[in-house]
Amino acid sequence: MKFQGTESYVATDDLTIAVNAAVTLERPLLVKGEPGTGKTELAKQVAQSLGLPMLEWNIKSTTKAQQGLYEYDAVSRLRDSQLGEARVHDVSNYIRKGKLWQAFEADSKVVLLIDEIDKADIEFPNDLLQELDKMEFHVYETGETIRARHRPVVIITSNNEKELPDAFLRRCFFHYIRFPDMDTMRKIVEVHHPGLKDALLTTALTQFYEIREQTGLKKKPSTSEVLDWLKLILAEDLSAEDLRRDGADALPKLHGALLKNEQDVHLFERLAFMARGQR
């Protein structure tokens, strides 16, 4: 069972090594990197490459670790008892299985994505330590212990919004997805926009990387954003010359796909103003 990337996902050598190491060690793969560098998509492509089903647990600021195991709906059970419902005598009718439970009881190995774990409370990772380590948990309401039939491939993503506990990190195989260099980005673009003219692609990517390297930028545009930008460029049938027309003296064409806050737009407007004043 080896991950080699897919036709729709360009995986660098160090990323494929990390995925396969985590699978071999049977440890969660913790993936960090800038937003938009393909962390979530990685899990989907790993599942596709290995021919495994995927379960996705999207973490929010209000998410609790217990929800990944199960939730007991005591309110519904109380209401049914007041109404004299027969189902009230079986507590299992009021237990909703979480994503970990679903992964543990699956008939075959699955890929379990725990997406953006750093959005949750700082105690969230620690609350999952035992379950991810031992691949089992206890259901107090029914007295049963749920054990994984097949140890899932666990992929955990983080945007580095907060530090994760050391005890949790020790149980993971870690990989940081570096932002793609120009050559890798060309390969990524070719997957999504095959046959793009070389002059247009070179001009667009040169502008894109110049924007990313601009001092004072609050939010650097990501891989997903350059793909959106190129899609718009193609839809507008712009040429390399159209992109070069304003040069460094103005905002890039269709800049709303790349610059996502007013501070960064104002930054490039100031640069354009200064460039005109020096002429």
Side-chain angles (χ1 to χ4, degrees):
M1 186 179 289
K2 291 286 186 180
F3 172 67
Q4 300 292 343
T6 67
E7 292 182 358
S8 58
Y9 189 89
V10 177
T12 56
D13 290 342
D14 59 339
L15 179 56
T16 58
I17 289 171
V19 171
N20 291 320
V23 171
T24 300
L25 293 172
E26 295 188 322
R27 287 185 178 273
L29 173 64
L30 174 61
V31 184
K32 291 187 179 183
E34 290 182 30
T37 49
K39 299 185 297 298
T40 301
E41 186 63 23
L42 171 65
K44 299 175 182 178
Q45 297 301 324
V46 168
Q48 179 183 324
S49 175
L50 301 182
L52 302 176
M54 193 185 93
L55 294 171
E56 187 170 351
W57 185 15
N58 297 300
I59 307 303
K60 302 178 181 179
S61 59
T62 55
T63 304
K64 302 299 181 185
Q66 179 65 30
Q67 293 172 299
L69 308 179
Y70 68 93
E71 292 182 274
Y72 170 54
D73 192 350
V75 174
S76 292
R77 191 181 189 197
L78 175 61
R79 183 182 62 246
D80 287 350
S81 68
Q82 293 170 338
L83 296 174
E85 296 281 352
R87 69 194 301 267
V88 75
H89 299 294
D90 185 354
V91 68
S92 64
N93 289 325
Y94 304 93
I95 291 179
R96 183 163 54 247
K97 297 176 182 178
K99 296 297 183 182
L100 265 74
W101 189 329
Q102 295 173 38
F104 286 5
E105 72 172 3
D107 292 332
S108 61
K109 184 183 285 288
V110 302
V111 172
L112 172 62
L113 169 63
I114 304 177
D115 201 25
E116 298 189 336
I117 193 172
D118 53 321
K119 282 187 175 180
D121 183 85
I122 189 63
E123 290 304 318
F124 180 93
N126 279 337
D127 291 342
L128 287 178
L129 284 180
Q130 290 293 97
E131 290 76 12
L132 290 176
D133 206 20
K134 295 186 176 180
M135 286 288 150
E136 67 177 42
F137 63 90
H138 188 70
V139 183
Y140 296 98
E141 289 77 8
T142 64
E144 61 184 322
T145 297
I146 306 299
R147 294 183 177 88
R149 296 178 183 176
H150 307 275
R151 195 175 186 100
V153 177
V154 181
I155 297 178
I156 303 170
T157 72
S158 170
N159 288 327
N160 232 6
E161 291 184 10
K162 62 170 69 78
E163 288 297 321
L164 299 173
D166 288 344
F168 180 79
L169 294 175
R170 284 197 298 271
R171 287 167 168 81
C172 297
F173 191 93
F174 172 76
H175 182 74
Y176 183 86
I177 297 182
R178 294 179 177 84
F179 196 82
D181 58 23
M182 182 86 78
D183 289 339
T184 304
M185 187 64 79
R186 282 179 174 275
K187 295 176 183 176
I188 294 171
V189 171
E190 179 62 26
V191 167
H192 294 271
H193 303 296
L196 203 62
K197 291 181 179 178
D198 187 67
L200 177 60
L201 179 56
T202 299
T203 302
L205 290 185
T206 298
Q207 284 194 15
F208 171 71
Y209 280 97
E210 286 174 351
I211 292 170
R212 275 188 56 88
E213 293 167 6
Q214 178 59 53
T215 303
L217 202 64
K218 183 176 181 181
K219 182 191 180 302
K220 295 181 178 182
S222 67
T223 304
S224 60
E225 287 157 345
V226 73
L227 293 174
D228 286 345
W229 186 48
L230 287 167
K231 183 177 180 179
L232 290 173
I233 289 172
L234 291 172
E236 294 293 325
D237 198 23
L238 298 179
S239 66
E241 185 59 35
D242 292 326
L243 294 184
R244 285 193 293 261
R245 189 169 296 155
D246 294 330
D249 295 342
L251 288 162
K253 298 282 189 183
L254 303 165
H255 64 269
L258 300 175
L259 304 175
K260 298 303 179 73
N261 60 71
E262 63 276 15
Q263 295 98 315
D264 290 344
V265 172
H266 293 331
L267 171 63
F268 279 89
E269 288 175 339
R270 288 196 302 272
L271 292 172
F273 178 79
M274 292 169 61
R276 285 193 296 269
Q278 291 174 359
R279 288 183 174 180

